[in-house]
Every structure is written in C-alpha cells, then in structure tokens.
Amino acid sequence: MDEDTRYEAVRSRDGRFDGAFFFAVETTGIYCRPSCPAVTPKRRNVRFFPTAAAAQGSGFRACRRCRPDAVPGSAEWNVRADAVGRAMRMIADGVVDREGVAGLATRLGYSARQVQRQLTGELGAGPVALARAQRAHTARVLLQTTDLPITEIAFASGFASVRQFNDTVREVYASTPTEVRAAAPRGRGARRATPSAGIPLRLAHRGPYQAAAVFDQLAREAVPGVEEVSGAPGGRTYRRTLRLPYGTALVAVEERTQGPKTGGGTHPGGWLDARLHLTDPRDLTTAVQRLRRLFDLDADPYAVDERLGADPRLAPLVAARPGLRSPGSVDPLEPAVRALVGVTGAEDLVRRYGKAIDAPCGSLTHLFPEPAALAAADLGGPLGALAAALADGTLRLDPGADRDDAQQALLALPGLAPSVVATLRARALGDPDVAPPGADLPDTWRPWRSYATHHLRITGELSH
C-alpha cells in the first residue's frame, strides 16, 4: 500500500488494516489504528508507521480512544518465512524479554547487528523497541484488569526496573501507571481479576471469525486431562492447561457466534473472551501469544477469502463460511502425538508422563508431557525419535523456526509419514500455505492452501 491508499483506509475507518499499519498525527502527537473513530486528520499532518514501536520511537503516544496497542497482530508475520517474519513471531513469544537480542539473533542464525539492521530498516524499530512496545501493552492490561501492586506489574511485564517501567508507560500512554489504572472501566460490565477468577482478556481478531468451526475442531481433538470443551454449540468454553517459561496456567476461552463491531469502522472485527490463571504473571505475554496462535487470531480473513473465493470450486464454501480460520498449536508436540497415536493414545501418555498440576480444576489435571519426558520413556518408533530430536535441540518447531529446515529435519526422522510432517508444518509452525500430500490444491490458492484445506475438510472433500 502506498501512503495515499493508507490515508483512504484511515478516511473510511477501515478495520481490515488494523495492525497492518499505524498512523500518527503530528499536530496532536498521537498515533492510532486505521479504524480510529476520531475526526480524520488532514493528510498533511499524518505520518504512517509499519509498527506501533516505530510510532513510539518517533515520539508519538497511543490514542486513548482507539487503543492501537490492542489490535490484532499483522498477518504478514505469519505468512512470511524470512528472518524478519521469524523474528517478529519470536519477539511476540517473549524471546527478547527472556533471552535478550543475543538470544534472538542466535535462534535466527544471524549476528545481533544484522538483526538490528534488518528490523530497523524494514519496520522502523529494532528488537528492543519492538519488545518494549509489547511490554507496554502487557503493562496496560495488568494495570487495568488486576489489582497487582504496580511494582509487581513492572517486572511481570518484562521490565528490568520500576524506573524503566514508569518511563515507558508515561511515554506510550502520556499517563503515569496510576493514571492508566484509574482510567480502567469501573461501571457495569467491568472485568477485573480476582484470585479465583483469573485475568480477564479480550483476544482481538480482524474481520469475520468462524468460531463454531474452530471450537468443533478443538472439541474433536481435545486430550482429556489437558483440554476440555464444555457447553452447547454457540456458547462453548475451551479450557486447558499450559506449560510456560516461568510457570503454568489454566486458561478458558469463550465461543462467540458473532463478533461485535469495533472502532466504528466499516469492516468490523471482534474478540474472544478469555481468562488466564497464571502461577507467574511474567508469563502473560507468552500465554496470550500462544492462544492467539491456537485460535489463529492474527489472520487476515479478507486476503484469504478474496483469493480463495475467486476459485469456482471454493467460492461457495468461502461464501458459506467467511473468515474460516486455520488453528495452530500451543505446544508443537501435541499435534504430533495426536497424529501418531490418536487422542486416546495421547491421553494415556498424559497420564503416564505428563506432570500433574498442583491444583487440579475439574477434568484438567495434567500438563502435556515435555519432549524430554517422552524421550526418556524410550517409546521407540517415530514418536520416540521426534521427542528425542525436540529434547536435544536438533529439531526446532517453535514460532521462529525456519519452516523449510524444520520440514527437512522431520522428513529425516525414521518412520515419520509426510502427512504428519504436513500437519506439523501447518499446526506447530503456523504455515498458512500447506497442502496435504496427495491433495489436489492448485498453486492459484497460494499462499492460503492451509485455509483451503479446512474448507474442503468441513465439506468432506478431504479427510481429517
């Protein structure tokens, strides 16, 4: 998009581009999402930025009306397989907060200087600034939804010091942390955390969202002890345990049959309501990102539906289910185990090798087994080989892994069928363009063949 096209998106408050770019107004010093309902500024006063971090780095503060930090992430980072796309996925997962820029660079296979140069050149902000913008958003969420002491929130958000936390919040929101907390909704319908209720969140998405299809799939695949789907269709709740870098979590996500309009734009988005019970609040950002991958909330349904809907074979399917998603995974081992031994076999492995959680909640009693636990169990066969490769680091299936390298490593494992490799590429690595072996999916459906596969499976043209 050129700048004139971006300005037209701002003039029409087009929510399709929320998260794809941001605009800032030089006369007010504020940056916004494209669908901001405020009066459209004059073109000569507007600047455009590819990321919120770039806008913040140029001295602009976040709009209090449209909350540009709460938009879905750019779908571009899930599509792109280059170093910048991989870096953005890892930054979102908290790698810079936990391992620093050096850790990010090592995972990418580049020097820290190369990573800084590539991200700054393309996105207007380096890895530290991008992680800082994410920490600011996490801080706002915790300030406005919990009663945690501000000092605890500073470190839970990933800041190295309270002073750094205070300075960042002032720069980004033009308010002190106390003022940000005071601005949280307090009236009817306000959602705040309590020890028993957890942290309430709205997981934003752009455009239409076929929640029923996603919850159907999650219900079909749920591994007892780790996951459950309860309630009647249209009002179901997905609950599960999560193993995270600093602790564990119990999460619940509610099904929404229709997303409400947001931001006053002509193309509504919406959200899924969620609650997180974290043993360590430092895991909030990582937990949210893993849920976003699982529910495919950063997808661009407009781009997907436009491409697939142009094909005569898929057009009626897209019209029937606009915004169909391609769910991912919170743990790369989970889709592999289900593909290799089925849900019943996965349940048995959970009981034998999964770690029991300290406070069971209903049917949720265990964490999914770690690769090292399954590798030590000497299971043999392709599952044992896969677990061993993940445990010793010879195979990476994290969000920032190189997809082609990972596929070659998977195919080199003994007994791992190409169909399982394709499943892992789509689910664990989040590749939107995977064609199952033997399926007739033309190149004109690229780069969205994973979504086409879901359309065909729902109608029975492809097997699950």
Side-chain angles (χ1 to χ4, degrees):
M1 297 177 69
D2 58 29
E3 293 198 348
D4 288 339
T5 305
R6 290 190 178 101
Y7 185 69
E8 286 305 311
V10 171
R11 275 170 40 102
S12 60
R13 298 183 175 89
D14 197 333
R16 293 179 299 173
F17 301 103
D18 285 353
F21 70 87
F22 300 83
F23 75 94
V25 185
E26 293 184 328
T27 52
T28 63
I30 292 173
Y31 76 93
C32 304
R33 62 168 82 184
S35 66
C36 182
V39 175
T40 303
K42 295 179 179 179
R43 174 66 184 86
R44 64 175 179 270
N45 296 327
V46 173
R47 292 176 61 186
F48 298 99
F49 296 94
T51 61
Q56 293 169 17
S58 294
F60 294 96
R61 64 184 185 274
C63 175
R64 296 179 184 178
R65 188 169 182 181
C66 72
R67 292 200 331 200
D69 61 338
V71 298
S74 173
E76 183 178 4
W77 313 132
N78 291 333
V79 177
R80 289 175 56 167
D82 62 358
V84 172
R86 292 168 57 205
M88 290 298 287
R89 293 195 292 272
M90 284 192 282
I91 291 170
D93 198 56
V95 168
V96 171
D97 292 336
R98 296 191 298 270
E99 303 175 22
V101 177
L104 174 68
T106 298
R107 287 171 175 258
L108 289 169
Y110 293 99
S111 69
R113 181 176 295 181
Q114 285 176 303
V115 173
Q116 175 75 30
R117 184 169 59 247
Q118 287 189 54
L119 292 179
T120 302
E122 185 162 342
L123 305 178
V128 171
L130 292 162
R132 177 178 177 266
Q134 182 169 269
R135 287 195 292 269
H137 171 55
T138 300
R140 182 184 62 75
V141 170
L142 290 173
L143 284 167
Q144 295 191 336
T145 62
T146 78
D147 291 316
L148 285 173
I150 285 178
T151 300
E152 289 186 28
I153 289 177
F155 295 107
S157 305
F159 290 96
S161 69
V162 175
R163 180 177 180 178
Q164 184 188 71
F165 165 74
N166 288 332
D167 290 345
T168 298
V169 171
R170 287 193 191 97
E171 289 176 23
V172 174
Y173 300 112
S175 303
T176 65
T178 301
E179 291 169 339
V180 171
R181 169 165 277 174
R186 301 291 182 183
R188 184 178 180 182
R191 308 161 75 241
R192 288 189 71 77
T194 65
S196 60
I199 299 173
L201 298 168
R202 283 178 169 175
L203 304 176
H205 61 78
R206 62 175 58 80
Y209 187 90
Q210 291 292 325
V214 174
F215 276 76
D216 286 346
Q217 182 170 341
L218 293 177
R220 189 169 57 247
E221 297 176 346
V223 177
V226 174
E227 303 170 281
E228 67 173 16
V229 177
S230 59
R236 289 173 287 186
T237 301
Y238 171 76
R239 299 168 65 244
R240 68 162 297 134
T241 61
L242 279 179
R243 182 175 57 252
L244 297 163
Y246 297 106
T248 62
L250 289 171
V251 304
V253 182
E254 306 291 335
E255 180 181 12
R256 293 184 71 99
T257 54
Q258 184 174 1
K261 291 187 177 183
T262 58
T266 56
H267 297 275
W271 63 80
L272 299 179
D273 287 317
R275 282 193 179 267
L276 278 66
H277 299 257
L278 300 167
T279 60
D280 191 318
R282 290 178 294 176
D283 283 322
L284 175 62
T285 298
T286 302
V288 168
Q289 289 302 323
R290 293 184 184 178
L291 288 175
R292 295 192 67 81
R293 288 201 300 273
L294 176 63
F295 285 89
D296 194 23
L297 296 174
D298 291 326
D300 182 351
Y302 303 106
V304 175
D305 290 356
E306 181 180 16
R307 173 61 60 87
L308 300 184
D311 184 273
R313 179 182 175 190
L314 292 179
L317 309 185
V318 172
R321 296 178 182 83
L324 186 68
R325 295 309 206 262
S326 177
S329 176
V330 298
D331 182 330
L333 194 55
E334 289 185 22
V337 170
R338 281 195 299 262
L340 291 169
V341 300
V343 171
T344 301
E347 180 184 7
D348 179 62
L349 292 174
V350 165
R351 302 296 179 191
R352 293 166 60 192
Y353 303 110
K355 181 180 178 181
I357 58 177
D358 294 334
C361 183
S363 68
L364 303 181
T365 58
H366 288 73
L367 300 172
F368 202 84
E370 296 183 75
L374 294 184
D378 193 23
L379 299 174
L383 179 55
L386 175 63
L390 287 170
D392 65 20
T394 56
L395 171 66
R396 283 181 51 205
L397 296 176
D398 58 79
D402 183 288
R403 291 165 177 164
D404 290 337
D405 289 348
Q407 177 167 319
Q408 292 305 312
L410 286 167
L411 290 171
L413 294 176
L416 207 60
S419 59
V420 176
V421 174
T423 296
L424 288 175
R425 179 153 185 157
R427 299 295 297 274
L429 297 171
D431 190 340
D433 191 38
V434 177
D440 180 22
L441 306 189
D443 285 346
T444 53
W445 296 357
R446 305 190 74 169
W448 310 117
R449 291 181 297 173
S450 298
Y451 295 86
T453 297
H454 282 284
H455 278 292
L456 296 174
R457 283 175 172 162
I458 287 175
T459 58
E461 293 186 47
L462 284 178
S463 60
H464 287 283

Short mmCIF file of all heavy atoms in Angstrom, two decimals, residues 345-396:
data_model
loop_
_atom_site.label_atom_id
_atom_site.label_comp_id
_atom_site.label_asym_id
_atom_site.label_seq_id
_atom_site.Cartn_x
_atom_site.Cartn_y
_atom_site.Cartn_z
N GLY A 345 -4.50 -42.48 22.59
CA GLY A 345 -3.09 -42.71 22.91
C GLY A 345 -2.45 -41.52 23.58
O GLY A 345 -1.63 -41.66 24.49
N ALA A 346 -2.83 -40.31 23.15
CA ALA A 346 -2.30 -39.10 23.78
C ALA A 346 -2.75 -39.01 25.23
O ALA A 346 -1.96 -38.62 26.11
CB ALA A 346 -2.76 -37.87 23.00
N GLU A 347 -4.01 -39.38 25.51
CA GLU A 347 -4.49 -39.36 26.90
C GLU A 347 -3.67 -40.30 27.77
O GLU A 347 -3.31 -39.97 28.92
CB GLU A 347 -5.96 -39.75 26.94
CG GLU A 347 -6.54 -39.75 28.35
CD GLU A 347 -7.98 -40.25 28.39
OE1 GLU A 347 -8.48 -40.72 27.34
OE2 GLU A 347 -8.58 -40.17 29.47
N ASP A 348 -3.36 -41.46 27.24
CA ASP A 348 -2.54 -42.42 28.01
C ASP A 348 -1.16 -41.85 28.30
O ASP A 348 -0.65 -41.99 29.43
CB ASP A 348 -2.43 -43.73 27.22
CG ASP A 348 -1.57 -44.75 27.95
OD1 ASP A 348 -1.96 -45.16 29.07
OD2 ASP A 348 -0.52 -45.15 27.42
N LEU A 349 -0.54 -41.21 27.33
CA LEU A 349 0.78 -40.61 27.54
C LEU A 349 0.71 -39.49 28.56
O LEU A 349 1.64 -39.30 29.36
CB LEU A 349 1.34 -40.11 26.22
CG LEU A 349 1.70 -41.19 25.20
CD1 LEU A 349 2.12 -40.54 23.87
CD2 LEU A 349 2.82 -42.09 25.71
N VAL A 350 -0.37 -38.71 28.53
CA VAL A 350 -0.53 -37.64 29.52
C VAL A 350 -0.58 -38.22 30.92
O VAL A 350 0.07 -37.70 31.85
CB VAL A 350 -1.82 -36.82 29.22
CG1 VAL A 350 -2.20 -35.96 30.41
CG2 VAL A 350 -1.60 -35.95 27.99
N ARG A 351 -1.34 -39.28 31.13
CA ARG A 351 -1.46 -39.88 32.46
C ARG A 351 -0.13 -40.46 32.93
O ARG A 351 0.19 -40.41 34.13
CB ARG A 351 -2.52 -40.99 32.44
CG ARG A 351 -3.91 -40.54 32.01
CD ARG A 351 -4.52 -39.55 32.97
NE ARG A 351 -5.84 -39.13 32.53
CZ ARG A 351 -6.52 -38.12 33.05
NH1 ARG A 351 -5.96 -37.42 34.03
NH2 ARG A 351 -7.71 -37.78 32.60
N ARG A 352 0.64 -41.02 32.00
CA ARG A 352 1.87 -41.70 32.38
C ARG A 352 3.05 -40.74 32.51
O ARG A 352 3.89 -40.90 33.40
CB ARG A 352 2.20 -42.79 31.36
CG ARG A 352 1.20 -43.94 31.37
CD ARG A 352 1.36 -44.81 30.13
NE ARG A 352 2.68 -45.41 30.04
CZ ARG A 352 3.13 -46.02 28.94
NH1 ARG A 352 2.36 -46.09 27.85
NH2 ARG A 352 4.33 -46.55 28.93
N TYR A 353 3.13 -39.74 31.61
CA TYR A 353 4.34 -38.92 31.56
C TYR A 353 4.09 -37.42 31.74
O TYR A 353 5.05 -36.65 31.85
CB TYR A 353 5.06 -39.15 30.23
CG TYR A 353 5.40 -40.60 29.98
CD1 TYR A 353 4.73 -41.34 29.00
CD2 TYR A 353 6.36 -41.24 30.75
CE1 TYR A 353 5.02 -42.66 28.78
CE2 TYR A 353 6.66 -42.59 30.54
CZ TYR A 353 5.98 -43.29 29.55
OH TYR A 353 6.28 -44.61 29.34
N GLY A 354 2.84 -36.99 31.76
CA GLY A 354 2.56 -35.58 31.98
C GLY A 354 2.70 -35.23 33.45
O GLY A 354 2.40 -36.04 34.33
N LYS A 355 3.10 -34.02 33.73
CA LYS A 355 3.24 -33.57 35.11
C LYS A 355 1.87 -33.17 35.66
O LYS A 355 1.15 -32.39 35.05
CB LYS A 355 4.20 -32.38 35.18
CG LYS A 355 4.42 -31.85 36.59
CD LYS A 355 5.38 -30.67 36.60
CE LYS A 355 5.55 -30.13 38.02
NZ LYS A 355 6.47 -28.95 38.02
N ALA A 356 1.52 -33.69 36.83
CA ALA A 356 0.26 -33.32 37.47
C ALA A 356 0.35 -31.88 37.97
O ALA A 356 1.36 -31.47 38.54
CB ALA A 356 -0.05 -34.26 38.63
N ILE A 357 -0.71 -31.09 37.74
CA ILE A 357 -0.70 -29.71 38.20
C ILE A 357 -1.03 -29.67 39.69
O ILE A 357 -1.67 -30.57 40.24
CB ILE A 357 -1.70 -28.83 37.41
CG1 ILE A 357 -3.14 -29.37 37.52
CG2 ILE A 357 -1.29 -28.76 35.95
CD1 ILE A 357 -4.16 -28.50 36.82
N ASP A 358 -0.56 -28.63 40.37
CA ASP A 358 -0.69 -28.54 41.83
C ASP A 358 -2.14 -28.43 42.27
O ASP A 358 -2.51 -28.96 43.33
CB ASP A 358 0.10 -27.33 42.35
CG ASP A 358 1.60 -27.50 42.16
OD1 ASP A 358 2.06 -28.65 42.09
OD2 ASP A 358 2.30 -26.47 42.06
N ALA A 359 -2.96 -27.75 41.48
CA ALA A 359 -4.36 -27.56 41.87
C ALA A 359 -5.25 -27.97 40.71
O ALA A 359 -5.62 -27.15 39.86
CB ALA A 359 -4.61 -26.10 42.25
N PRO A 360 -5.61 -29.26 40.62
CA PRO A 360 -6.49 -29.70 39.53
C PRO A 360 -7.79 -28.91 39.51
O PRO A 360 -8.31 -28.50 40.55
CB PRO A 360 -6.75 -31.17 39.87
CG PRO A 360 -5.57 -31.58 40.71
CD PRO A 360 -5.22 -30.36 41.51
N CYS A 361 -8.30 -28.69 38.30
CA CYS A 361 -9.53 -27.91 38.13
C CYS A 361 -10.48 -28.70 37.26
O CYS A 361 -10.31 -28.77 36.04
CB CYS A 361 -9.20 -26.55 37.50
SG CYS A 361 -10.62 -25.46 37.31
N GLY A 362 -11.46 -29.34 37.89
CA GLY A 362 -12.37 -30.18 37.14
C GLY A 362 -11.62 -31.32 36.48
O GLY A 362 -10.87 -32.05 37.13
N SER A 363 -11.79 -31.46 35.17
CA SER A 363 -11.11 -32.55 34.46
C SER A 363 -9.68 -32.22 34.08
O SER A 363 -8.97 -33.07 33.53
CB SER A 363 -11.91 -32.91 33.21
OG SER A 363 -11.87 -31.85 32.26
N LEU A 364 -9.25 -30.97 34.32
CA LEU A 364 -7.89 -30.57 33.97
C LEU A 364 -6.96 -30.95 35.11
O LEU A 364 -7.02 -30.37 36.21
CB LEU A 364 -7.83 -29.06 33.70
CG LEU A 364 -8.76 -28.54 32.60
CD1 LEU A 364 -8.59 -27.05 32.42
CD2 LEU A 364 -8.53 -29.28 31.30
N THR A 365 -6.10 -31.92 34.86
CA THR A 365 -5.26 -32.47 35.93
C THR A 365 -3.77 -32.46 35.62
O THR A 365 -2.96 -32.55 36.54
CB THR A 365 -5.68 -33.92 36.23
OG1 THR A 365 -5.57 -34.69 35.01
CG2 THR A 365 -7.12 -33.98 36.73
N HIS A 366 -3.40 -32.38 34.34
CA HIS A 366 -2.00 -32.55 33.95
C HIS A 366 -1.59 -31.51 32.91
O HIS A 366 -2.43 -30.93 32.21
CB HIS A 366 -1.77 -33.95 33.34
CG HIS A 366 -1.83 -35.06 34.32
ND1 HIS A 366 -3.01 -35.49 34.89
CD2 HIS A 366 -0.84 -35.86 34.84
CE1 HIS A 366 -2.75 -36.51 35.70
NE2 HIS A 366 -1.45 -36.74 35.69
N LEU A 367 -0.27 -31.33 32.81
CA LEU A 367 0.33 -30.65 31.68
C LEU A 367 0.67 -31.69 30.62
O LEU A 367 0.93 -32.86 30.94
CB LEU A 367 1.61 -29.92 32.11
CG LEU A 367 1.47 -28.85 33.18
CD1 LEU A 367 2.86 -28.38 33.62
CD2 LEU A 367 0.65 -27.68 32.68
N PHE A 368 0.68 -31.26 29.36
CA PHE A 368 1.09 -32.18 28.31
C PHE A 368 2.55 -32.56 28.54
O PHE A 368 3.35 -31.72 28.94
CB PHE A 368 0.91 -31.54 26.94
CG PHE A 368 0.81 -32.53 25.83
CD1 PHE A 368 -0.41 -33.13 25.52
CD2 PHE A 368 1.92 -32.90 25.10
CE1 PHE A 368 -0.52 -34.06 24.50
CE2 PHE A 368 1.84 -33.84 24.08
CZ PHE A 368 0.61 -34.42 23.78
N PRO A 369 2.93 -33.80 28.30
CA PRO A 369 4.31 -34.22 28.56
C PRO A 369 5.34 -33.38 27.80
O PRO A 369 5.11 -32.99 26.65
CB PRO A 369 4.34 -35.68 28.08
CG PRO A 369 2.92 -36.12 28.12
CD PRO A 369 2.11 -34.91 27.80
N GLU A 370 6.46 -33.14 28.42
CA GLU A 370 7.57 -32.46 27.76
C GLU A 370 8.29 -33.44 26.83
O GLU A 370 8.27 -34.66 27.07
CB GLU A 370 8.55 -31.90 28.78
CG GLU A 370 7.98 -30.84 29.69
CD GLU A 370 9.02 -30.29 30.62
OE1 GLU A 370 9.87 -29.51 30.14
OE2 GLU A 370 9.01 -30.63 31.80
N PRO A 371 8.96 -32.93 25.79
CA PRO A 371 9.71 -33.84 24.91
C PRO A 371 10.71 -34.70 25.67
O PRO A 371 10.86 -35.89 25.36
CB PRO A 371 10.40 -32.87 23.94
CG PRO A 371 9.52 -31.67 23.91
CD PRO A 371 8.96 -31.54 25.29
N ALA A 372 11.40 -34.10 26.66
CA ALA A 372 12.40 -34.86 27.41
C ALA A 372 11.78 -36.04 28.14
O ALA A 372 12.39 -37.12 28.25
CB ALA A 372 13.12 -33.94 28.39
N ALA A 373 10.56 -35.86 28.66
CA ALA A 373 9.90 -36.95 29.38
C ALA A 373 9.56 -38.10 28.44
O ALA A 373 9.74 -39.28 28.79
CB ALA A 373 8.63 -36.43 30.07
N LEU A 374 9.08 -37.77 27.24
CA LEU A 374 8.76 -38.82 26.29
C LEU A 374 10.03 -39.45 25.72
O LEU A 374 10.05 -40.66 25.44
CB LEU A 374 7.89 -38.26 25.16
CG LEU A 374 6.48 -37.80 25.56
CD1 LEU A 374 5.71 -37.37 24.32
CD2 LEU A 374 5.73 -38.89 26.30
N ALA A 375 11.08 -38.64 25.55
CA ALA A 375 12.34 -39.20 25.05
C ALA A 375 12.92 -40.18 26.06
O ALA A 375 13.43 -41.25 25.70
CB ALA A 375 13.32 -38.08 24.76
N ALA A 376 12.85 -39.82 27.36
CA ALA A 376 13.38 -40.70 28.40
C ALA A 376 12.55 -41.97 28.55
O ALA A 376 13.06 -42.99 29.04
CB ALA A 376 13.42 -39.95 29.74
N ALA A 377 11.29 -41.92 28.14
CA ALA A 377 10.43 -43.09 28.24
C ALA A 377 10.80 -44.17 27.23
O ALA A 377 10.32 -45.30 27.32
CB ALA A 377 8.97 -42.68 28.05
N ASP A 378 11.67 -43.82 26.27
CA ASP A 378 12.14 -44.78 25.26
C ASP A 378 10.95 -45.46 24.58
O ASP A 378 10.82 -46.68 24.56
CB ASP A 378 13.06 -45.82 25.91
CG ASP A 378 13.83 -46.63 24.86
OD1 ASP A 378 13.99 -46.12 23.74
OD2 ASP A 378 14.26 -47.76 25.17
N LEU A 379 10.08 -44.65 24.00
CA LEU A 379 8.87 -45.16 23.38
C LEU A 379 9.15 -45.90 22.08
O LEU A 379 8.35 -46.73 21.64
CB LEU A 379 7.91 -43.99 23.11
CG LEU A 379 7.43 -43.21 24.34
CD1 LEU A 379 6.62 -42.01 23.91
CD2 LEU A 379 6.62 -44.11 25.25
N GLY A 380 10.27 -45.56 21.43
CA GLY A 380 10.57 -46.18 20.15
C GLY A 380 9.70 -45.62 19.04
O GLY A 380 8.78 -44.83 19.27
N GLY A 381 9.98 -46.03 17.81
CA GLY A 381 9.19 -45.60 16.67
C GLY A 381 9.32 -44.12 16.39
O GLY A 381 10.17 -43.42 16.96
N PRO A 382 8.49 -43.61 15.49
CA PRO A 382 8.60 -42.20 15.09
C PRO A 382 8.34 -41.22 16.24
O PRO A 382 8.95 -40.16 16.29
CB PRO A 382 7.54 -42.06 13.99
CG PRO A 382 6.63 -43.22 14.16
CD PRO A 382 7.45 -44.32 14.73
N LEU A 383 7.45 -41.56 17.17
CA LEU A 383 7.18 -40.65 18.28
C LEU A 383 8.40 -40.52 19.18
O LEU A 383 8.77 -39.41 19.59
CB LEU A 383 5.98 -41.14 19.10
CG LEU A 383 5.61 -40.27 20.31
CD1 LEU A 383 5.38 -38.82 19.90
CD2 LEU A 383 4.37 -40.84 21.01
N GLY A 384 9.07 -41.62 19.47
CA GLY A 384 10.28 -41.56 20.28
C GLY A 384 11.37 -40.76 19.60
O GLY A 384 12.07 -39.97 20.24
N ALA A 385 11.53 -40.97 18.28
CA ALA A 385 12.55 -40.23 17.53
C ALA A 385 12.25 -38.74 17.52
O ALA A 385 13.14 -37.90 17.67
CB ALA A 385 12.65 -40.77 16.10
N LEU A 386 10.97 -38.39 17.34
CA LEU A 386 10.57 -36.98 17.32
C LEU A 386 10.80 -36.34 18.68
O LEU A 386 11.35 -35.23 18.78
CB LEU A 386 9.10 -36.86 16.93
CG LEU A 386 8.49 -35.46 16.98
CD1 LEU A 386 9.17 -34.53 15.98
CD2 LEU A 386 6.99 -35.52 16.70
N ALA A 387 10.39 -37.02 19.75
CA ALA A 387 10.58 -36.47 21.10
C ALA A 387 12.05 -36.28 21.40
O ALA A 387 12.45 -35.25 21.99
CB ALA A 387 9.93 -37.40 22.13
N ALA A 388 12.88 -37.24 21.01
CA ALA A 388 14.32 -37.12 21.27
C ALA A 388 14.93 -35.94 20.50
O ALA A 388 15.77 -35.21 21.04
CB ALA A 388 15.03 -38.42 20.89
N ALA A 389 14.51 -35.75 19.25
CA ALA A 389 15.04 -34.64 18.45
C ALA A 389 14.63 -33.29 19.03
O ALA A 389 15.41 -32.34 19.04
CB ALA A 389 14.56 -34.77 17.00
N LEU A 390 13.39 -33.19 19.53
CA LEU A 390 12.96 -31.95 20.16
C LEU A 390 13.69 -31.73 21.48
O LEU A 390 14.06 -30.61 21.83
CB LEU A 390 11.45 -31.98 20.41
CG LEU A 390 10.55 -31.84 19.17
CD1 LEU A 390 9.10 -32.14 19.53
CD2 LEU A 390 10.66 -30.41 18.59
N ALA A 391 13.90 -32.81 22.23
CA ALA A 391 14.53 -32.69 23.54
C ALA A 391 16.00 -32.27 23.44
O ALA A 391 16.47 -31.45 24.25
CB ALA A 391 14.42 -34.01 24.30
N ASP A 392 16.73 -32.78 22.46
CA ASP A 392 18.15 -32.43 22.38
C ASP A 392 18.42 -31.22 21.48
O ASP A 392 19.57 -30.82 21.28
CB ASP A 392 18.99 -33.63 21.91
CG ASP A 392 18.67 -34.09 20.48
OD1 ASP A 392 18.10 -33.30 19.70
OD2 ASP A 392 19.00 -35.24 20.15
N GLY A 393 17.37 -30.62 20.93
CA GLY A 393 17.54 -29.39 20.16
C GLY A 393 17.93 -29.57 18.72
O GLY A 393 18.13 -28.57 18.01
N THR A 394 18.02 -30.79 18.24
CA THR A 394 18.36 -30.98 16.83
C THR A 394 17.17 -30.63 15.93
O THR A 394 17.34 -30.44 14.73
CB THR A 394 18.79 -32.43 16.55
OG1 THR A 394 17.76 -33.32 16.99
CG2 THR A 394 20.08 -32.75 17.31
N LEU A 395 15.99 -30.56 16.50
CA LEU A 395 14.79 -30.16 15.78
C LEU A 395 14.11 -29.03 16.53
O LEU A 395 13.93 -29.12 17.74
CB LEU A 395 13.83 -31.35 15.64
CG LEU A 395 12.43 -31.04 15.09
CD1 LEU A 395 12.52 -30.58 13.64
CD2 LEU A 395 11.52 -32.26 15.21
N ARG A 396 13.78 -27.96 15.81
CA ARG A 396 13.05 -26.84 16.41
C ARG A 396 11.71 -26.68 15.70
O ARG A 396 11.64 -26.64 14.48
CB ARG A 396 13.84 -25.54 16.28
CG ARG A 396 14.99 -25.39 17.26
CD ARG A 396 15.66 -24.05 17.05
NE ARG A 396 14.69 -22.95 17.04
CZ ARG A 396 14.91 -21.79 16.41
NH1 ARG A 396 16.02 -21.59 15.73
NH2 ARG A 396 13.99 -20.82 16.47
#
